[in-house]
Amino acid sequence: NAGVTQTPKFRVLKTGQSMTLLCAQDMNHEYMYWYRQDPGMGLRLIHYSVGEGTTAKGEVPDGYNVSRLKKQNFLLGLESAAPSQTSVYFCASNRRGRDEQFFGPGTRLTVL
Amino acid sequence: DQQVKQNSPSLSVQEGRISILNCDYTNSMFDYFLWYKKYPAEGPTFLISISSIKDKNEDGRFTVFLNKSAKHLSLHIVPSQPGDSAVYFCAAMEGGSEKLVFGKGTKLTVNP
């Protein structure tokens, strides 16, 4: 099992460009999450999904959109990137809310 | 307003000694607490959890203590090993919620 994978690993964008981060899990988990981690900060929840076709806002959802069209995939979109979105993005999944979350290796995004 | 606080950004201990990492929380609705460990350039990995109905949970070298009246939990690692050097995040969850709230993390260095 690959667990949770994230694509790409690194990306540099210019202000105003758009991109999509892909998260995939092969553990048949219902729940999936997107977090961002900034220097000196903990992980902050951007959006999450409790099942295929569902999404919900987390703590810092502004500037991001998500989609969960397939159970195994959770996409995070930036429509118009801003320097404030420079961060490391982590995807996670679990079977249900109270289970441990399994994290991907992260995507390092720089917005110039 | 930070609901989960890890007031020590860093901690250094000698190999074989005890490491104690502390976490305080402000939200009295939190009823489930977890610790995650993170190595550089990797995603966090789950370490240990505790429900608010318990005051202690042990797993090998790792023990988590919960003091509900003080809204405080701590992670004890005994004996500490160089491979334990990582950033440790405390996280908490409200009853009925799927969302984890993370602290900023404590960087543990175990010196040989």
Side-chain angles (χ1 to χ4, degrees):
Chain A
N1 286 354
V4 179
T5 57
Q6 293 182 233
T7 309
K9 287 186 170 49
F10 302 94
R11 186 72 186 268
V12 178
L13 287 179
K14 293 181 180 178
T15 297
Q17 286 184 319
S18 64
M19 79 162 294
T20 300
L21 282 67
L22 171 64
C23 175
Q25 53 92 5
D26 61 2
M27 296 173 281
N28 200 34
H29 285 166
E30 289 293 332
Y31 291 61
M32 297 187 75
Y33 311 82
W34 276 108
Y35 294 91
R36 61 178 287 173
Q37 186 192 12
D38 301 299
M41 301 287 289
L43 284 81
R44 292 183 293 169
L45 183 64
I46 305 171
H47 286 281
Y48 65 102
S49 167
V50 300
E52 182 179 316
T54 74
T55 62
K57 293 181 181 180
E59 182 186 351
V60 288
D62 294 341
Y64 305 95
N65 56 75
V66 287
S67 64
R68 182 102 182 266
L69 298 179
K70 292 183 179 180
K71 185 177 183 178
Q72 63 267 33
N73 296 337
F74 196 27
L75 278 63
L76 178 71
L78 287 73
E79 288 187 349
S80 180
S84 61
Q85 295 177 305
T86 293
S87 189
V88 181
Y89 291 85
F90 290 101
C91 176
S93 72
N94 60 3
R95 192 164 50 94
R96 57 192 173 107
R98 291 264 154 157
D99 287 351
E100 64 169 289
Q101 293 183 17
F102 292 83
F103 283 81
T107 294
R108 185 173 293 275
L109 175 66
T110 301
V111 183
L112 301 174
Chain B
D1 179 32
Q2 220 185 336
Q3 298 185 73
V4 177
K5 300 178 184 179
Q6 294 178 257
N7 292 319
S8 298
S10 63
L11 174 67
S12 183
V13 299
Q14 286 299 120
E15 180 178 5
R17 305 294 291 268
I18 184 171
S19 296
I20 300 176
L21 296 95
N22 293 305
C23 178
D24 297 293
Y25 61 96
T26 58
N27 186 345
S28 57
M29 300 302 290
F30 287 148
D31 69 347
Y32 190 57
F33 304 88
L34 305 90
W35 286 92
Y36 282 82
K37 178 168 77 171
K38 185 183 181 304
Y39 293 118
E42 294 184 12
T45 54
F46 170 76
L47 201 52
I48 193 167
S49 63
I50 187 166
S51 166
S52 61
I53 61 173
K54 295 186 175 181
D55 54 18
K56 177 182 173 181
N57 189 27
E58 251 180 293
D59 184 2
R61 297 186 296 115
F62 303 92
T63 303
V64 56
F65 295 92
L66 175 62
N67 183 334
K68 289 185 290 292
S69 61
K71 293 191 178 71
H72 176 83
L73 61 155
S74 60
L75 175 68
H76 293 212
I77 306 173
V78 184
S80 301
Q81 299 173 353
D84 296 330
S85 297
V87 176
Y88 289 78
F89 291 101
C90 173
M93 183 182 283
E94 282 187 33
S97 172
E98 301 87 11
K99 296 183 282 188
L100 273 180
V101 179
F102 282 84
K104 292 185 177 182
T106 296
K107 182 177 182 180
L108 173 66
T109 302
V110 180
N111 301 302

